[in-house]
Amino acid sequence: MSNTVRTRFAPSPTGYMHVGNLRTALYTYLQARHDGGCFILRIEDTDQGRFVEGATDIIYNTLRATGLTWDEGPDIGGPVGPYIQSQRMGLFKQYAEQLVAEGKAYYCLCTEERLTTLHESQKAAGQVGHYDGHCRALTAAEIQKNLDAGVPYVIRQKIPDTGVTSFDDLVYGHIEVENAELDDQILLKSDGMPTYNFANVVDDHLMGITHVIRGSEYLSSTPKYNLLYQAFGWAIPTYIHCPPVMKDAQNKLSKRNGDASYQDLVAKGYLPAAVLNYLLLLGWAPAGEEEIFSLEQMIQLWDPARVSKSPAIFDPLKLRAINAAYIRALPADAFRRLADPFIDTAVHREIDRDLLCANLQPRCEVLEDIPPQLDFFDAALPFENTLYENKKQKTNADTAKQALAALLPTLTALSSWNRDAIFEACKAKAEEMGAKNGWLLYPLGIALSGKARTPGGGTDLAAMLGRAETLARLEAALARL
């Protein structure tokens, strides 16, 4: 391989995209793009017990929706495929057996019963459970005899008994681990399948991965990874371990605990670009005060040295604020397209949707905020006349009766029914009465909606509801005063 930076995102198809996984994908993508490198998608599907039908498509669709396009992957191919781990099974055994032949790994013939007894005795003695190296001392003849007899085996890595394994991480710095603390990890399981750690190392080497970006939970496994790289004589990649994404100070964010996935957030009306922007900041800090970045800006600004060591707390309010900024910045037609499905759940009559959306866009932070604002459109809401009371507008039930009594004939006489015509007629009536616009229009909004807060003022509501419905609601409101 050349000196080109090559990163990979290697998710397991086990369900919806967890936000922590998407953050890893983002950082991995940014590392490749910032350095003009190659971003690879690899599907790690060897844990068939957790495989979820359709989850691979969720991975594809999520990455595409957020703009994290890959250069090599299962669907587009590339020079080092296949890019689905289950399709690479034939090559792992040969690498494990290569280490055995070189004395760097060994066949372990221990039964489940022996291992269970060993771990129970270690636990009783207050020790951390670990493999005791029992099969390290077997002779070649003993091993061959058992293999010929079809005795099940695993292949274990031969970890040095002494010395230190160290590595440098771009986030956590220099880390050293005593080899005596490391277990002889299994490389090949009794069913011939590789373990996650072993398959990862082999695949990363064969795919020329130069930078490995993953969660800090893998820090403790990294010395074993490095011992594998050294055993094969392969170049060790640059490591960038990211802090965990936490629900709060004690609990990690987890889909298993019912925490929101990327798909959940989109269903609620968070915009993909806003979610991605928020995830950038979830464990990474920009140099300045600005926090709203396009993907292109993220690529330019990316610096792994600015990834924090501290756990990142998922802050829903911060996500809402960022999403609100993205919603405000949308072109009107784009907001209308996104808002329509949410409007459809609450409004089942003909209204001026362009006018509605012009009022909604500055009034929602997340698209799911829309339906609760529209509950009065299909049918007038019941309300108490005390709702007309407003100190700022100097209104109450008595003044509302005067205002609505003046507005009903004014609006009835209108020849043209649109927002501007309605507003000009109301404005003229207020001037004629020597009243302020708010004094006249606040009661109009209450009469039409039954709510103090609505997506638009009284004249906008009248334009959206139409002539017949507006006049009918005005008459009903007057009858209650």
Side-chain angles (χ1 to χ4, degrees):
M1 293 283 178
S2 68
N3 292 326
T4 300
V5 167
R6 290 173 64 82
T7 67
R8 52 76 173 163
F9 177 52
S12 299
T14 55
Y16 289 129
M17 181 76 81
H18 184 271
V19 293
N21 284 352
L22 185 56
R23 185 192 66 171
T24 299
L26 172 62
Y27 288 2
T28 305
Y29 174 89
L30 295 177
Q31 185 68 36
R33 293 288 179 260
H34 179 79
D35 294 325
C38 187
F39 177 57
I40 297 162
L41 175 61
R42 183 172 78 222
I43 303 297
E44 298 195 339
D45 63 341
T46 52
D47 188 351
Q48 290 296 311
R50 295 181 61 217
F51 177 80
V52 173
E53 193 69 37
T56 302
D57 287 333
I58 288 174
I59 293 167
Y60 292 153
N61 294 338
T62 300
L63 295 181
R64 288 193 184 106
T66 51
L68 305 183
T69 53
W70 51 101
D71 304 299
E72 301 173 23
D75 57 332
I76 58 176
V80 292
Y83 295 88
I84 296 180
Q85 204 165 59
S86 62
Q87 297 173 10
R88 302 172 62 84
M89 288 300 100
L91 53 83
F92 296 113
K93 185 174 183 181
Q94 72 184 60
Y95 282 103
E97 290 178 339
Q98 175 186 328
L99 292 182
V100 173
E102 295 173 355
K104 298 167 182 173
Y106 59 94
Y107 292 102
C108 175
L109 304 158
C110 292
T111 62
E112 284 294 326
E113 290 76 15
R114 180 185 182 280
L115 294 175
T116 299
T117 301
L118 171 66
H119 292 148
E120 286 176 351
S121 65
Q122 289 171 338
K123 184 178 180 181
Q127 301 174 352
V128 176
H130 63 280
Y131 183 63
D132 60 359
H134 174 75
C135 291
R136 274 189 177 208
L138 294 178
T139 65
E142 286 176 299
I143 292 170
Q144 194 59 52
K145 177 183 176 183
N146 280 283
L147 294 182
D148 290 342
V151 175
Y153 68 88
V154 299
I155 293 180
R156 288 183 183 269
Q157 181 181 5
K158 191 179 286 186
I159 300 289
D161 295 321
T162 59
V164 171
T165 297
S166 64
F167 67 97
D168 293 296
D169 182 79
L170 290 189
V171 177
Y172 290 87
H174 187 73
I175 295 175
E176 294 185 349
V177 177
E178 295 286 340
N179 290 332
E181 297 177 8
L182 302 177
D183 211 356
D184 282 1
Q185 68 174 336
I186 294 173
L187 306 181
L188 206 69
K189 295 181 283 190
S190 58
D191 61 1
M193 296 285 278
T195 57
Y196 174 83
N197 286 352
F198 184 55
N200 244 260
V201 168
V202 173
D203 279 347
D204 282 350
H205 168 72
L206 295 178
M207 292 184 175
I209 302 304
T210 62
H211 293 68
V212 171
I213 301 175
R214 60 190 178 207
S216 59
E217 65 268 24
Y218 290 102
L219 275 170
S220 60
S221 302
T222 302
K224 294 182 181 181
Y225 283 73
N226 281 7
L227 287 169
L228 276 173
Y229 279 108
Q230 292 166 6
F232 283 115
W234 295 341
I236 295 173
T238 298
Y239 292 111
I240 302 170
H241 286 87
C242 306
V245 179
M246 307 291 287
K247 183 175 186 175
D248 50 45
Q250 287 78 38
N251 302 293
K252 286 184 71 174
L253 202 67
S254 169
K255 179 64 177 171
R256 294 181 187 179
N257 295 335
D259 297 319
S261 67
Y262 168 79
Q263 282 68 29
D264 293 330
L265 293 174
V266 171
K268 290 174 181 289
Y270 288 90
L271 308 189
V275 174
L276 206 64
N277 193 151
Y278 176 67
L279 293 182
L280 170 74
L281 305 174
L282 201 57
W284 181 88
E289 298 297 316
E290 180 60 47
E291 291 189 320
I292 305 298
F293 304 111
S294 68
L295 190 53
E296 281 302 314
Q297 289 171 321
M298 294 183 204
I299 292 169
Q300 296 299 317
L301 293 169
W302 174 251
D303 177 0
R306 302 194 69 84
V307 175
S308 172
K309 296 178 185 178
S310 304
I313 306 294
F314 188 89
D315 182 355
L317 293 179
K318 176 85 168 183
L319 174 58
R320 282 184 70 93
I322 289 176
N323 199 70
Y326 273 80
I327 284 180
R328 306 285 186 271
L330 286 172
D333 59 340
F335 177 76
R336 166 75 192 268
R337 284 196 303 275
L338 293 171
D340 267 341
F342 290 86
I343 297 171
D344 288 341
T345 67
V347 180
H348 305 93
R349 63 185 302 145
E350 286 296 320
I351 60 172
D352 183 340
R353 289 207 176 194
D354 286 336
L355 178 55
L356 174 60
C357 286
N359 281 288
L360 283 173
Q361 191 166 357
R363 287 177 170 85
C364 74
E365 296 180 331
V366 181
L367 295 172
E368 71 170 358
D369 293 345
I370 291 173
Q373 298 184 57
L374 311 182
D375 52 355
F376 63 90
F377 273 108
D378 280 359
L381 300 178
F383 65 94
E384 298 295 327
N385 287 337
T386 52
L387 195 59
Y388 288 116
E389 293 175 6
N390 186 299
K391 289 183 179 179
K392 182 180 178 182
Q393 305 295 354
K394 298 180 180 179
T395 60
N396 54 41
D398 291 335
T399 65
K401 187 171 185 178
Q402 298 172 48
L404 298 184
L407 282 174
L408 184 58
T410 300
L411 296 179
T412 301
L414 273 182
S415 58
S416 178
W417 193 269
N418 58 64
R419 178 191 189 188
D420 290 342
I422 295 168
F423 178 77
E424 289 303 324
C426 293
K427 180 182 176 185
K429 177 54 69 172
E431 290 175 356
E432 177 188 318
M433 298 175 70
K436 291 187 176 181
N437 287 346
W439 183 89
L440 194 69
L441 296 181
Y442 182 77
L444 175 62
I446 298 295
L448 297 182
S449 68
K451 301 175 71 156
R453 294 177 62 85
T454 57
T459 54
D460 281 11
L461 297 185
M464 287 184 255
L465 282 166
R467 181 194 298 272
E469 185 67 18
T470 295
L471 298 180
R473 293 190 185 192
L474 274 180
E475 290 175 351
L478 270 168
R480 290 196 300 270
L481 285 165

